[in-house]
Amino acid sequence: MSNSPRPPRSFGITDAQLSAELRKWTGASPAVHPVGELLDRHWEAAYAYARLCTGGPHPAGMLTTAAFTRLFGASIRQSGPTAAWRPQLLVTVRRIAAEWSADHRQEMLHPELLRAAAGDGDRIAARLLPPTDRRLLSRAFQRLPQAARALLWHAEVESEPLTVPAALLGLDEEGARIELGRARERLREECLQVHREVAPDQDCLRYFRLLDVTYRRDGVDIDPDLRGHLAGCKHCRYTADQLAQFNGDLGTALTEGVLGWGAVPYRNARVAAAEAERAQGRPAEGAGEPVPDRPEGAPSE
């Protein structure tokens, strides 16, 4: 077990370049460089989320290792993440936890998951998913380019300084700021597009533009007809709430939409760590129990 500080926040190579190295790997020699770099950058965050899904440090370490292994294998097969390693890794942790709920590994999951679902694997898997009122954000986020996903995740969800996602993407800070603004707007547009695609009836489409404009200006002076429609339409009411998040703390809603189970405690812990770094001018120590050292070795599946 180790409580070593996080790796330095300066990277000489982007996550996308590391992914490209993995895609070229033939198995003739260990893929030490891309594997080691990606583990150093993302192990702590993945473990923090795995700890929220499992009952102790050991199963959390197993779950984290399994998520990395799966994505390393996917990368070698040309289907892994490129720039958006952090959010994809966390989603993979959640998906593997759902797989555990269906077999003997269920007992390693978090006690709250087991108590709430009374040992029913299907119910546990359902509880791990994003809530219904955040699935518009979930679908919209998955439609974004990977660089946009990485920017939104590191800046909005984890509250890291823009220099961090900028370095991971090979941008300067000003370029990252501009691209983050574009990513936020693209995410909002994708939310509207998903809303339109899955609208349950014509009334929802009739109020589409009014809904957009109203919540672009922070939901003030809601048209009485729109208010009446929202009162009776859960679909549009959920959309209105998710659009409203773009005027405030988008990070919490986005975490809920992407992760589901454990989203709020995960984000709170990551934001607290980022704030501690800013206040102290140095890497923050892990909160609570120490984080296990990440494993060495080449990817395999």
Side-chain angles (χ1 to χ4, degrees):
M1 303 287 281
S2 164
N3 205 17
S4 58
R6 295 175 184 169
R9 296 304 200 188
S10 177
F11 310 115
I13 185 170
T14 68
D15 276 4
Q17 289 170 321
L18 292 170
S19 296
E21 284 191 33
L22 266 179
R23 289 197 297 272
K24 293 184 219 174
W25 189 65
T26 62
S29 60
V32 172
H33 178 243
V35 168
E37 284 287 334
L38 289 165
L39 285 165
D40 281 342
R41 294 176 188 189
H42 303 296
W43 173 269
E44 182 181 341
Y47 176 85
Y49 184 53
R51 189 65 184 85
L52 294 168
C53 297
T54 56
H58 179 63
M62 291 175 61
L63 183 54
T64 308
T65 300
F68 271 105
T69 300
R70 181 165 296 183
L71 289 192
F72 288 150
S75 295
I76 292 166
R77 295 189 300 272
Q78 316 297 310
S79 59
T82 55
W85 265 87
R86 181 71 57 82
Q88 187 60 45
L89 185 60
L90 298 172
V91 168
T92 303
V93 167
R94 188 196 75 210
R95 289 173 176 166
I96 295 175
E99 293 169 13
W100 286 11
S101 72
D103 59 32
H104 66 280
R105 294 169 295 183
Q106 183 185 114
E107 64 186 24
M108 294 193 288
L109 295 177
H110 198 283
E112 287 185 25
L113 274 171
L114 299 177
R115 280 196 298 269
D120 184 327
D122 290 340
R123 291 180 63 195
I124 293 171
R127 287 210 71 201
L128 285 161
L129 292 172
T132 305
D133 61 355
R134 289 292 178 258
R135 290 185 186 172
L136 200 71
L137 275 167
S138 178
R139 290 179 63 175
F141 185 75
Q142 293 305 319
R143 293 184 177 195
L144 297 181
Q146 292 215 17
R149 278 186 257 165
L151 276 166
L152 285 166
W153 194 265
H154 286 273
E156 299 285 354
V157 171
E158 310 225 358
S159 194
E160 292 180 311
L162 268 179
T163 51
V164 175
L168 292 173
L169 294 168
L171 301 171
D172 59 30
E173 188 172 355
E174 183 57 27
R177 183 173 290 106
I178 292 169
E179 291 303 320
L180 177 61
R182 290 173 177 165
R184 282 178 61 95
E185 185 57 29
R186 174 76 179 271
L187 180 64
R188 192 181 187 282
E189 289 301 316
E190 291 291 353
C191 283
L192 289 167
Q193 181 62 27
V194 174
H195 166 79
R196 183 160 44 191
E197 290 171 6
V198 300
D201 58 51
Q202 286 300 310
D203 268 358
C204 301
L205 298 178
R206 187 159 62 88
Y207 286 107
F208 175 78
R209 281 300 165 200
L210 187 56
L211 185 71
D212 176 14
V213 171
T214 298
Y215 286 91
R216 194 176 287 279
R217 61 171 188 249
D218 210 9
V220 298
D221 299 326
I222 301 177
D223 177 89
D225 287 343
L226 175 61
R227 190 186 299 277
H229 177 71
L230 293 176
C233 178
K234 183 187 293 185
H235 172 74
C236 288
R237 191 162 62 249
Y238 285 170
T239 296
D241 177 62
Q242 288 169 93
L243 291 176
Q245 306 307 314
F246 287 85
N247 302 313
D249 180 20
L250 176 61
T252 296
L254 184 57
T255 317
E256 292 170 339
V258 174
L259 294 187
W261 174 266
V264 172
Y266 173 82
R267 184 177 188 242
N268 288 344
R270 301 298 294 171
V271 169
E275 289 175 351
E277 286 192 20
R278 290 187 181 96
Q280 299 171 10
R282 60 181 177 79
E285 297 293 325
E289 66 191 29
V291 178
D293 286 326
R294 54 86 169 171
E296 301 291 342
S300 62
E301 186 167 71

